[in-house]
Amino acid sequence: MAPPKAVERPSSRLGPSINDGAEALAKGSRVWVLAMPEGSKSRAGGNGTASVAAAAAAAANSTWVPGELRALNVEAGEEVGNASASTGQVALDDGRLLTVELHRIVPANPKLQEGIPDLTHLSYLNEPGITYNLEARYQGDEIYTFAGPVLIALNPCKPLPLYTPEMATKYRAGARDVVASALLPPHIYLVAANAFRRMLREKCNQSLIVNGESGAGKTETTKKAMQYFATLAGGTGVEGQVLETNPILEAFGNAKTLRNHNSSRFGKLIQMHFNASHHICGARIKTYLLEKSRVVHQLKGERSFHIFYQMLRGLKDPARRAALHLPPPNRDAPCAFKCLAQSACWELEGVDDAADFSIVCDALADVGVTPQMQDALMRLLSGVLWLSNLEFVHDEADRNGETYVLAQGPALDACCDLLGVQPEDLSASLTRKRIVTPSETIVKILNLEECLDCRDALAKALYAAAFEWIVEAINRKLDNAPASRQNAASSSGLSISILDIYGFEAFNTNSFEQLCINYANERLQQQFTRHHVRGEQQEYESEGIDWTKVEFVDNQECVDVIEQAPPKGLGVLAVLDAQCRFPKSTDMTFVETLKEALATHPHFSTNVRAPREFTVLHYAGLVPYDCTGFLDKNKDTLNPDLIELMASANGEGSMVPMLGQSIKDDCDANTRRGGQSVGSRFSQQLKELIIELDATGLHFVRCIKPNDKLEPGDFEGPMILHQLRCCGVLEVARIARAGFPTRYGHQAFAERYSILLPPEEQAALLAAAEGVKSGKQVLQGDALEACRKLVDKFGLEPSQYQVGRTKIFFRPGVLGFVEDKWAAMQSGTLLIQASWRMCQQRRRYAAVRGATVALQSAWRARAVWLAFLQMRRELAAARVLQAAWRGHAARCRFLATCQAARTVQEAWRHLQLRRQLLARVAERKERELAAKLEQESFTSLRKKFGCEMDEVQSALAFWRSQGGSSTSQPSSARTPTQPSTPFTPDAAAAAAPPPTATGPHTPASTHVSPRAHTAPQTTTQAPPMPHIKTTSPEAAANGGVSAAANSAAATAAAAATAQRFAVLQEAKETAERLGLENIRLNKQLQLERSLKERYQHKYEEQNAMWSEQLHTLQEYILQVRSTFGDTRLPPLPSALLRVPAPPVGHPASHHHQSLNPLQERPAFTEAKAASFKREAEAKATQARKPSSIASPGSATSTGVKSPTSQPASRSGSTHRSRPVGGGSPASTDERQQQQQQQ
């Protein structure tokens, strides 16, 4: 869309503004010529709106071209029709020769002044000269230019290295020194530095007003100024949080328009507060008129607020997207929602919405918005998007078809889930409206258009409430920052405000929002004009300053058209508020009322062809407004049922109840105020803003848009010149060059610069300035006279200053000269004072140093003496400790020696005990072996005679009764005269002893006492019997007692059995005895051989182990003796001293040799080892050796021990046999023992 056409006033814009420097025209000088389109008039006549529009069209289509003036006052040429006598002939650079009116020719500046940083320094301050100078700087990437006190900022439309930390450090000097700031090139940092310096010097709040068209770069300029303040006065941490607000406010308050990709759709005033040390200690943000209608409606080619697109593309978590009911994060994600799809513009070139979303989330966390609140905020935004997809259908229950309900579907389910409401409640609130009267409550059924408006109103209200909540959260964080709380007590009360508000807008269709935006720009333009033009001229006139008056156009009439109220008249807002109060008013009645109220106003007009439009002549041009929706937008009413619905929502993790309660409170407060409309509330905010700004020092920044397409390097001169005219920069530049921009009050000037005078004059001037009486004499003069003397002291020319009634005024640059002299005088004074203070301090330092050296010397001496005393005490203590330690060590050694002696004694006792134990074990084994042999003999006897166990017992009893103990005699000793008594079972039974209480088969009866046959029996010859061990002593005693009683029975039995026994004995005696003895001897030899091998092996192992332990103890005792001496140990047992060392090759010998290789051991040869081994084997054999075995012909061959062999056996051993009838376990035990040995 093309920019708005400029409107030129012939009396001011085309008159003196163009002819600046015309009197300096001369032949051959470089000039600029205004080339008009062919057929157009060079002058605009009349005073009506049509003539103004015609003049504006002519000026917009004309261009300035360079050339050389050839002649003046020539007759009219071919190209100029009815020209006057004041004409000139100009040769253009392209070779053409033109004759034009003189007022279309302006002088050009010399080449030397191309691209100068301040427009007021141009020789000829005219429109083409200003435009050409700006273009020269713009092509060199110098986008900032001063026009007196105003900074002109051209949007470069590309990134430039002008905002680096090095650049900020460079401009920090300008914040403290006015001389240094005058040497720096134009920059937004320099404007911010001047504001900071004036705040410190004048102790007054300052404001930066950033203004311009949409797309001129106001938002970026504001951010750069905030970054500079953070660098200049940071250090508290608050500056980082202030900077973090930029991405948040841009995401929720900026959108793409037809002219700008990042247009601010709200106004904001950022106040940064400083503490006593001139650091940022807090901040606060005020917002004005959010364009919330953009949530539900955008023009073709525009976008809604950035946050919607950032959320749809930047939220990657599938679970969160599912919880928010969002489509996949692809390019066409915005198409799923009608409120975003209607503009057919979803992406911006060079903008990454996903990356911006991550930055916004981080910024929200930095300003105190928790992750839970961020999720709730995203749910609200998603709910607003789904609201636009809700559709209304006819209620099936209504036959007339006049009632609508919400259509069932995914949109309704998602919307209700995200907002935390029930579908029935939402449908009822959007399709019905309750009207409460004093007498009754009326329920109105809404038609389809009203239902859609109610739905859109709910979406706008929710988004606006969320935006206000975010701003309040930011303010709470900035106000409650730690630096702000810590510096609250030391706060200086000074602040710098930065105003970033929407620029002038004119689209094909302009609505209520554009009217409010342009109204705000009119008020700011009025303030700018009053501050720099009208205020300057009024001050010059009141002070009596002689200067050339500059004509300007005041836009008060345009402001009155919009905001004028009774009784002065009716403006657009007043008529709109009046129409909103009438129940039956419509947009057409509003336009008709405007025509009646403003028909004669020069800045208001209507078009017959467009009955719903009215036109307002703004300072930037004509803007037509479409009145459709003006009444509803001004009322901004929300259905009470919807307010109650939001306040009662109960969704988990939803912020709708909180926002609903906030909206309800605002509505109640507005009702108490009388129902203030949006227009009246915005007008009140603007008035308060202007009053707040007027109370501060103002610094203006005019942002200029270089071209409509925002292409880098494209400089459209007519468009830029139009913006310069609209914002009044040309008039400000002329006033700054022709006027006196710097001024001081008389008293303030005298107080600041009186230091340059001698002391007596300085005191007199100060006394005169204050009107002080000194005794009886009154000092003559006043502050005005003091200022004149000071000016003379500086040596200024009369043209460089003027003295007014209360102030003194200076030309541009003069104050810098005065400040230089003042700074030189001050620096010289400070140097002298510093030198004097240095001299005094050096003297004090020398005296203090001498005293300090003396004190240090004394202190060091005292410290050395104390250290010596401490050392002496430590030495005495060391002696005591050493004596105690030596006593402790000796006691420990004595205790160790005693312990070693006890250990040796315990080892010796253990050895003796072990030997006794082994001896007893060997004796027990011998007894067991004898018992086993006895059992084997008993078994052999039973087999030999072929009788049962009871018979054997009876035979034995008989044998004993017949003097069986004499069986030790050999059979050859018997004589024939001694016949053998035959043995029969009856005789054996008769000879057997009577049974006892234990029975014949008890264990007591089966044992034979070994003592029973020890006495020799020689009376009777008996057949030879094998040697059988007697049983228990009880049985032997019973046998001795009953011997006499049983002798008769035995004699009778012997007679009966003598013959049988004699025959049997004679027949089998020789063969069986030989076989039995052979078998017994073989078994006994085999058993003795296995037992001998086993005992020999065990003996060798035990002997080696004992020898190793004994020699280890011996080595240890020898080491102890060599260390402590023989006097400190008890005497070593003689037996232990005689223990030889283990033989060489024995395992114990290695351990014995490894104990103390340095000590000499006693000799232990192999011969001694062999002798020791033989002695051990002999002792073992003797210990295990059984009763002597005789030859078969001897007495022992019969199995009965000889008396001579009795002492060889151990008399104390007992022999046990198995019970009678118990089988023969000897063979079984033998086999088991042999298996174990194998």
Side-chain angles (χ1 to χ4, degrees):
M1 176 182 174
K5 303 298 182 180
V7 179
E8 295 294 334
R9 279 78 169 176
S11 60
S12 60
R13 303 289 186 187
L14 300 179
S17 62
I18 295 180
N19 293 328
D20 190 310
E23 67 278 358
L25 291 175
K27 182 179 179 180
S29 61
R30 295 287 298 176
V31 296
W32 292 95
V33 179
L34 183 62
M36 304 289 290
E38 185 177 357
S40 62
K41 296 183 179 181
S42 61
R43 294 183 178 87
N47 296 325
T49 305
S51 61
V52 174
N61 295 327
S62 60
T63 57
W64 291 95
V65 293
E68 182 180 350
L69 183 62
R70 295 295 179 85
L72 292 173
N73 296 326
V74 297
E75 299 296 332
E78 296 180 358
E79 295 185 12
V80 181
N82 299 324
S84 61
S86 298
T87 58
Q89 189 177 26
V90 181
L92 303 181
D93 291 347
D94 57 3
R96 292 183 298 167
L97 187 64
L98 297 180
T99 301
V100 296
E101 293 84 350
L102 193 60
H103 71 272
R104 293 171 55 190
I105 303 174
V106 295
N109 294 299
K111 291 286 186 179
L112 185 63
Q113 292 185 336
E114 288 184 359
I116 60 177
D118 196 342
L119 298 180
T120 60
H121 297 167
L122 293 174
S123 299
Y124 305 107
L125 194 60
N126 48 48
E127 291 180 351
I130 292 174
T131 306
Y132 182 73
N133 187 76
L134 291 176
E135 182 178 5
R137 293 181 61 80
Y138 184 76
Q139 298 302 333
D141 289 339
E142 296 177 343
I143 61 175
Y144 295 110
T145 306
F146 275 121
V150 180
L151 178 67
I152 300 175
L154 287 168
N155 188 359
C157 304
K158 64 180 180 180
L160 293 176
L162 300 177
Y163 312 101
T164 60
E166 293 78 11
M167 189 69 67
T169 304
K170 175 182 177 181
Y171 280 88
R172 291 188 67 172
R176 307 289 179 178
D177 190 359
V178 64
V179 179
S181 64
L183 302 177
L184 296 173
H187 202 284
I188 184 61
Y189 289 171
L190 186 57
V191 176
N194 292 336
F196 187 79
R197 185 181 64 255
R198 285 188 59 184
M199 180 190 70
L200 299 183
R201 186 177 64 182
E202 301 176 5
K203 304 299 179 182
C204 177
N205 297 334
Q206 305 294 314
S207 297
L208 270 68
I209 300 178
V210 183
N211 202 358
E213 285 192 6
S214 179
K218 300 184 298 299
T219 302
E220 290 297 323
T221 303
T222 302
K223 290 194 294 186
K224 302 306 178 185
M226 294 172 62
Q227 292 176 3
Y228 176 76
F229 283 124
T231 304
L232 179 65
T236 60
V238 183
E239 67 279 359
Q241 297 176 358
V242 173
L243 296 179
E244 290 292 343
T245 62
N246 289 325
I248 300 175
L249 295 178
E250 286 186 14
F252 286 89
N254 289 23
K256 179 190 180 303
T257 62
L258 296 177
R259 293 188 176 182
N260 187 7
H261 292 172
N262 190 29
S263 177
S264 297
R265 308 319 300 163
F266 72 106
K268 64 176 179 290
L269 179 69
I270 304 173
Q271 294 178 338
M272 290 179 288
H273 302 279
F274 297 85
N275 55 19
S277 59
H278 310 147
H279 291 86
I280 300 176
C281 63
R284 187 162 187 82
I285 299 175
K286 296 181 180 179
T287 59
Y288 304 95
L289 191 65
L290 175 68
E291 188 188 8
K292 56 185 178 181
S293 62
R294 186 168 290 272
V295 175
V296 296
H297 177 71
Q298 309 95 35
L299 297 176
K300 291 294 183 181
E302 293 186 343
R303 291 207 322 175
S304 185
F305 294 102
H306 295 326
I307 186 61
F308 292 117
Y309 306 92
Q310 293 172 359
M311 179 182 67
L312 290 175
R313 294 191 173 97
L315 194 61
K316 303 297 185 180
D317 189 5
R320 293 185 64 188
R321 295 188 71 90
L324 298 178
H325 303 277
L326 296 179
N330 50 34
R331 179 180 177 275
D332 300 330
C335 300
F337 304 99
K338 295 181 180 179
C339 61
L340 303 180
Q342 59 182 332
S343 63
C345 179
W346 310 313
E347 293 183 337
L348 295 178
E349 184 178 358
V351 176
D352 188 354
D353 291 324
D356 292 343
F357 180 75
S358 178
I359 295 174
V360 170
C361 292
D362 294 340
L364 286 172
D366 291 340
V367 298
V369 181
T370 62
Q372 293 79 12
M373 294 306 299
Q374 290 187 29
D375 292 340
L377 183 60
M378 298 307 157
R379 289 180 64 86
L380 176 67
L381 296 178
S382 181
V384 170
L385 293 177
W386 282 108
L387 269 176
S388 64
N389 287 8
L390 295 181
E391 296 180 353
F392 296 90
V393 297
H394 290 285
D395 189 4
E396 298 178 356
D398 186 10
R399 298 181 180 180
N400 298 328
E402 297 178 355
T403 305
Y404 291 89
V405 294
L406 287 174
Q408 299 294 328
L412 180 60
D413 297 337
C415 183
C416 294
D417 178 53
L418 295 170
L419 299 182
V421 297
Q422 297 299 324
E424 298 80 7
D425 300 337
L426 182 61
S427 178
S429 301
L430 293 178
T431 57
R432 293 170 177 81
K433 181 178 180 181
R434 288 188 306 164
I435 302 176
V436 180
T437 63
S439 59
E440 60 180 348
T441 300
I442 303 174
V443 178
K444 179 184 177 182
I445 304 300
L446 303 180
N447 55 31
L448 181 59
E449 184 177 357
E450 292 173 341
C451 292
L452 295 176
D453 292 341
C454 193
R455 179 200 65 185
D456 295 343
L458 177 59
K460 293 187 292 184
L462 287 174
Y463 187 83
F467 182 79
E468 293 296 331
W469 178 84
I470 292 173
V471 174
E472 288 299 324
I474 293 173
N475 289 332
R476 285 195 302 270
K477 181 64 175 180
L478 298 180
D479 289 343
N480 296 329
S484 179
R485 295 194 300 269
Q486 294 174 4
N487 298 322
S490 60
S491 177
S492 62
L494 300 178
S495 65
I496 295 179
S497 303
I498 303 177
L499 178 65
D500 176 20
I501 203 165
Y502 16 60
F504 188 85
E505 293 182 352
F507 302 111
N508 292 332
T509 302
N510 302 287
S511 186
F512 178 74
E513 290 81 10
Q514 280 68 43
L515 176 66
C516 295
I517 290 172
N518 295 337
Y519 168 48
N521 282 271
E522 287 286 353
R523 289 303 304 265
L524 293 176
Q525 178 64 25
Q526 184 185 41
Q527 185 197 36
F528 176 80
T529 304
R530 288 180 176 179
H531 181 76
H532 285 292
V533 181
R534 184 176 177 181
E536 290 284 324
Q537 294 190 154
Q538 289 178 355
E539 187 171 10
Y540 291 155
E541 292 174 0
S542 62
E543 291 288 337
I545 303 299
D546 184 15
W547 80 301
T548 303
K549 188 175 182 180
V550 177
E551 296 183 5
F552 69 96
V553 176
D554 192 359
N555 63 339
Q556 181 63 45
E557 292 183 353
C558 182
V559 174
D560 292 340
V561 169
I562 299 175
E563 72 173 11
Q564 195 172 31
K568 296 180 179 180
L570 290 176
V572 176
L573 296 180
V575 174
L576 185 60
D577 289 344
Q579 290 294 312
C580 289
R581 295 188 185 97
F582 294 112
K584 296 184 179 181
S585 298
T586 61
D587 295 332
M588 289 302 301
T589 59
F590 165 64
V591 175
E592 295 297 332
T593 307
L594 280 180
K595 292 178 181 179
E596 296 176 0
L598 301 172
T600 59
H601 201 284
H603 287 263
F604 180 85
S605 62
T606 58
N607 189 355
V608 179
R609 298 180 180 179
R612 302 180 66 88
E613 292 183 358
F614 63 93
T615 304
V616 177
L617 180 58
H618 291 281
Y619 74 94
L622 290 169
V623 179
Y625 295 97
D626 188 355
C627 67
T628 303
F630 261 58
L631 295 179
D632 293 336
K633 292 179 181 179
N634 188 50
K635 292 178 184 177
D636 194 25
T637 56
L638 194 62
N639 190 346
D641 295 340
L642 289 176
I643 298 177
E644 294 293 339
L645 179 64
M646 289 188 293
S648 61
N650 55 1
E652 182 179 357
S654 175
M655 59 189 309
V656 175
M658 177 181 60
L659 299 181
Q661 187 62 38
S662 176
I663 295 173
K664 184 177 180 180
D665 296 340
D666 292 342
C667 293
D668 295 341
N670 190 24
T671 303
R672 289 192 297 268
R673 289 193 299 265
Q676 193 177 20
S677 63
V678 175
S680 60
R681 187 163 56 247
F682 182 65
S683 177
Q684 183 65 28
Q685 288 180 341
L686 280 180
K687 291 178 182 178
E688 295 174 356
L689 175 63
I690 297 301
I691 294 174
E692 184 176 356
L693 294 177
D694 288 338
T696 63
L698 299 180
H699 305 267
F700 290 90
V701 179
R702 292 303 190 191
C703 297
I704 303 299
K705 186 177 180 180
N707 55 79
D708 277 335
K709 297 181 180 180
L710 296 178
E711 295 289 340
D714 186 7
F715 188 89
E716 296 182 3
M719 180 179 179
I720 293 175
L721 185 58
H722 161 71
Q723 297 178 61
L724 294 175
R725 289 170 181 168
C726 293
C727 63
V729 173
L730 302 180
E731 287 83 356
V732 172
R734 292 192 183 94
I735 293 175
R737 190 175 68 170
F740 302 89
T742 308
R743 64 213 62 184
Y744 259 110
H746 293 165
Q747 184 176 351
F749 186 76
E751 290 176 356
R752 182 170 180 81
Y753 298 105
S754 62
I755 191 175
L756 304 177
L757 299 177
E760 59 275 6
E761 294 184 12
Q762 183 180 150
L765 287 175
L766 291 177
E770 297 175 2
V772 179
K773 295 182 179 181
S774 177
K776 298 180 180 179
Q777 182 183 3
V778 178
L779 297 178
Q780 302 295 329
D782 53 6
L784 177 59
E785 194 65 27
C787 291
R788 286 176 178 172
K789 288 183 179 182
L790 282 173
V791 171
D792 295 339
K793 189 70 177 179
F794 284 122
L796 299 179
E797 296 292 336
S799 61
Q800 294 179 339
Y801 71 94
Q802 286 196 22
V803 180
R805 296 184 178 90
T806 60
K807 296 179 181 179
I808 181 170
F809 296 82
F810 297 97
R811 292 286 186 184
V814 176
L815 182 62
F817 172 75
V818 175
E819 285 287 333
D820 286 342
K821 284 199 170 185
W822 179 82
M825 177 65 72
Q826 189 181 33
S827 62
T829 303
L830 293 177
L831 180 61
I832 294 173
Q833 293 175 353
S835 300
W836 173 247
R837 294 190 189 99
M838 181 188 67
C839 182
Q840 291 180 334
Q841 292 299 328
R842 285 186 65 84
R843 290 178 181 175
R844 296 192 187 97
Y845 171 73
V848 173
R849 185 178 183 277
T852 304
V853 169
L855 288 174
Q856 289 176 352
S857 178
W859 180 261
R860 284 194 294 269
R862 179 180 179 274
V864 171
W865 173 249
L866 293 177
F868 170 72
L869 294 179
Q870 180 67 20
M871 186 184 302
R872 191 164 61 181
R873 288 193 297 269
E874 290 178 356
L875 183 60
R879 292 194 185 99
V880 175
L881 290 176
Q882 289 174 359
W885 174 253
R886 284 194 294 270
H888 174 71
R891 181 175 179 82
C892 290
R893 288 194 298 271
F894 173 73
L895 294 177
T897 303
C898 293
Q899 182 64 28
R902 283 194 294 269
T903 303
V904 172
Q905 293 173 359
E906 290 177 1
W908 176 253
R909 296 189 186 99
H910 178 73
L911 178 62
Q912 295 296 330
L913 180 62
R914 188 173 185 83
R915 287 179 177 177
Q916 296 176 6
L917 181 62
L918 291 176
R920 293 181 181 179
V921 170
E923 183 179 357
R924 186 187 63 186
K925 290 183 179 179
E926 289 178 0
R927 289 197 300 269
E928 292 178 354
L929 179 60
K932 184 177 293 187
L933 292 176
E934 182 180 0
Q935 182 67 24
E936 291 177 356
S937 300
F938 189 81
T939 305
S940 300
L941 182 62
R942 188 189 61 182
K943 291 181 179 180
K944 175 180 179 180
F945 293 99
C947 59
E948 297 299 330
M949 188 60 64
D950 52 354
E951 297 177 353
V952 171
Q953 186 176 6
S954 301
L956 287 176
F958 175 76
W959 187 265
R960 293 189 190 98
S961 64
Q962 296 299 323
S965 58
S966 61
T967 55
S968 58
Q969 297 179 359
S971 57
S972 60
R974 288 178 297 191
T975 60
T977 58
Q978 297 176 346
S980 300
T981 304
F983 175 80
T984 61
D986 297 334
T996 61
T998 56
H1001 299 289
T1002 57
S1005 62
T1006 59
H1007 291 82
V1008 180
S1009 174
R1011 304 289 184 178
H1013 59 278
T1014 55
Q1017 300 290 336
T1018 58
T1019 57
T1020 307
Q1021 290 287 340
M1025 293 288 292
H1027 176 71
I1028 300 174
K1029 298 287 182 176
T1030 60
T1031 59
S1032 62
E1034 292 81 359
N1038 294 332
V1041 173
S1042 58
N1046 296 332
S1047 60
T1051 302
T1057 59
Q1059 186 64 32
R1060 181 182 175 184
F1061 186 77
V1063 175
L1064 181 62
Q1065 181 177 6
E1066 292 294 339
K1068 297 181 179 179
E1069 180 180 5
T1070 302
E1072 290 182 358
R1073 184 174 66 249
L1074 292 177
L1076 179 63
E1077 289 294 332
N1078 188 20
I1079 292 173
R1080 186 177 63 80
L1081 289 175
N1082 288 336
K1083 288 183 180 181
Q1084 185 174 1
L1085 289 176
Q1086 184 178 2
L1087 179 62
E1088 287 179 356
R1089 189 181 297 109
S1090 62
L1091 292 175
K1092 180 179 179 180
E1093 291 176 358
R1094 179 179 177 185
Y1095 290 153
Q1096 180 68 20
H1097 179 68
K1098 289 185 179 181
Y1099 178 78
E1100 290 176 356
E1101 289 182 353
Q1102 292 294 335
N1103 189 27
M1105 181 178 66
W1106 294 341
S1107 300
E1108 180 180 358
Q1109 293 178 357
L1110 290 177
H1111 284 284
T1112 301
L1113 292 175
Q1114 184 178 11
E1115 292 291 340
Y1116 171 74
I1117 293 171
L1118 292 176
Q1119 288 181 4
V1120 172
R1121 285 181 176 276
S1122 64
T1123 303
F1124 299 99
D1126 297 335
T1127 59
R1128 299 185 182 182
L1129 292 175
L1132 191 67
S1134 58
L1136 185 62
L1137 291 174
R1138 289 193 302 269
V1139 176
V1144 178
H1146 194 274
S1149 64
H1150 300 288
H1151 180 73
H1152 176 74
Q1153 295 175 4
S1154 63
L1155 289 176
N1156 191 356
L1158 299 180
Q1159 185 178 0
E1160 185 177 359
R1161 303 180 182 85
F1164 192 83
T1165 60
E1166 295 183 0
K1168 291 182 179 182
S1171 175
F1172 178 78
K1173 184 176 182 181
R1174 285 194 298 272
E1175 293 178 0
E1177 290 178 354
K1179 291 180 181 180
T1181 305
Q1182 185 178 1
R1184 294 192 304 271
K1185 185 176 181 181
S1187 301
S1188 58
I1189 304 174
S1191 62
S1194 62
T1196 57
S1197 62
T1198 60
V1200 181
K1201 287 185 178 182
S1202 174
T1204 58
S1205 63
Q1206 184 67 23
S1209 64
R1210 297 185 181 272
S1211 60
S1213 61
T1214 58
H1215 301 273
R1216 299 178 182 271
S1217 60
R1218 298 281 299 203
V1220 178
S1224 58
S1227 60
T1228 305
D1229 294 342
E1230 231 177 85
R1231 286 195 299 271
Q1232 290 179 357
Q1233 187 175 4
Q1234 291 178 2
Q1235 290 176 1
Q1236 290 177 0
Q1237 290 176 0
Q1238 292 176 2

